[in-house]
Each structure stands twice: as structure tokens, then as C-alpha cells.
Amino acid sequence: MAGTPSVDLAEQTRIVSRLAAEVPDTGLAGPTPCPEYTVGGLLGHLTGLAVAFRDAGRKDLGPTTDTAPDPAGVSLPAAWREELPRVLGELAEAWQDPAAWTGMTRAGGVDLPGEVAGAVAVDELVIHGWDLARATGQEYVPDEAALRLAHAFLLAAAEEEDRGGGIFGPVVPVPDDAPLLDRAVGLSGRHPGWVPPSPP
């Protein structure tokens, strides 16, 4: 991913914050395209990753950047409705500093070049934004620059795997002329047509 361009995360973090704000308390137990997460689990994961990648961007390395993600250990903070938009805003601000995209940093316990960590953060926001929107029946139009970077990152990751799989799971084939978001979603191991299962 050498030469990855920097992207302003402000608009994509605002989009994710708006999606989260529309989630009713009664919907937190619902399924998402991530089998590991309920809606509440996904919101907890987004909160945690925002903190981790905020600190990675700041090069403020410590417990928040040293811990690998563990879906089984994710919990939704009691004050998540206030905390999630706050830490997403701090994440965007951290990566607006050009220095965040240079040198080395750490996220999830893995040492990464700044530009790669930035691309991972963008990808997480774009794909998990889609997850949240699909799980809660909301319209989703990601930030165009963030989507382009996420797609490029996922495409490179899938090609490097040499097994037809991406960093999130086996790639789901999507037509070459499909919308860019659908192609990114497929590269992330999700089916672009996913909808929540009908209640029994």
C-alpha cells in the first residue's frame, strides 16, 4: 500500500455518526452482515476502533493500540450515544494531521506504516458504515474519497492473499460494472444484497 494517499475522514465519520444516531434502543440486538456482531456489538466495535485508530493517528501508542480486536470481548458503552460521535470526531481530527500518514504506528497490536493504518481506518469506517446501514434499514452513501480508498485497499489485500479471500473473509464475486460500493462490499466478504432475515 505504499503511496496510499491521505483522505479527510471528517465526512465519513459524520456519516457513521448519523447512522448510529438513528438506531433505536430496541434494535441493538438485531443481526448485521458481520456474523460476529449484533447491531449493539457493531456499535461497540466502532467505538473501540475509533479510539484505537485515533491514538494510532496521534502516535499515542499504548493499551488502546496494542490490543487485537476480539468480537467476543466487545461491549457497548452505556453512554455510547455521546461517546461514539465524540471519538469518531477525534479520529477524523487525528488523521487530518499529515504526520499521521507518515512514519510508523500501531493498531490492533500490529506495527504498520502510517499510510496503511490510515487506509485500514478508512476501510473500517466505510464497510462498517454499510453494515450498520443495512442492519438498520437506512440509506447509505459513503464519502466518495473514502470509498475509493477503501476499495483500493480491499482490492490490493484480496490480490495479495492469493486465495480469493480478503481481509474480512472470502471475496464475494460482484460484476465489474457494479457500483463501486457493491464491489468494495464484495471484496470485504459480504454480499451486497444482504438484508436482515425476516422474523419468524
Side-chain angles (χ1 to χ4, degrees), residues 16-85:
V16 174
S17 291
R18 288 196 295 266
L19 291 169
E22 294 300 319
V23 176
D25 291 342
T26 55
L28 295 176
T32 75
C34 281
E36 302 91 345
Y37 294 121
T38 61
V39 171
L42 179 59
L43 290 164
H45 175 62
L46 280 164
T47 304
L49 77 84
V51 170
F53 281 97
R54 175 200 68 191
D55 292 348
R58 293 172 175 174
K59 308 293 200 297
D60 182 12
L61 308 185
T64 61
T65 62
D66 292 351
T67 306
D70 177 13
V74 168
S75 61
L76 184 62
W80 69 270
R81 290 192 183 276
E82 295 76 34
E83 184 175 347
L84 179 56

Side-chain angles (χ1 to χ4, degrees), residues 65-156:
T65 62
D66 292 351
T67 306
D70 177 13
V74 168
S75 61
L76 184 62
W80 69 270
R81 290 192 183 276
E82 295 76 34
E83 184 175 347
L84 179 56
R86 176 178 60 80
V87 294
L88 284 170
E90 292 169 352
L91 167 66
E93 183 178 7
W95 287 92
Q96 285 170 340
D97 183 349
W101 298 83
T102 63
M104 294 295 294
T105 190
R106 186 181 306 132
V110 179
D111 291 326
L112 297 167
E115 62 186 15
V116 174
V120 174
V122 171
D123 175 60
E124 292 272 353
L125 291 169
V126 169
I127 297 301
H128 286 319
W130 181 86
D131 289 332
L132 185 59
R134 278 305 174 101
T136 57
Q138 299 186 65
E139 183 180 0
Y140 181 53
V141 181
D143 175 67
E144 183 65 27
L147 173 58
R148 288 197 302 268
L149 178 53
H151 177 265
F153 173 77
L154 288 163
L155 184 60

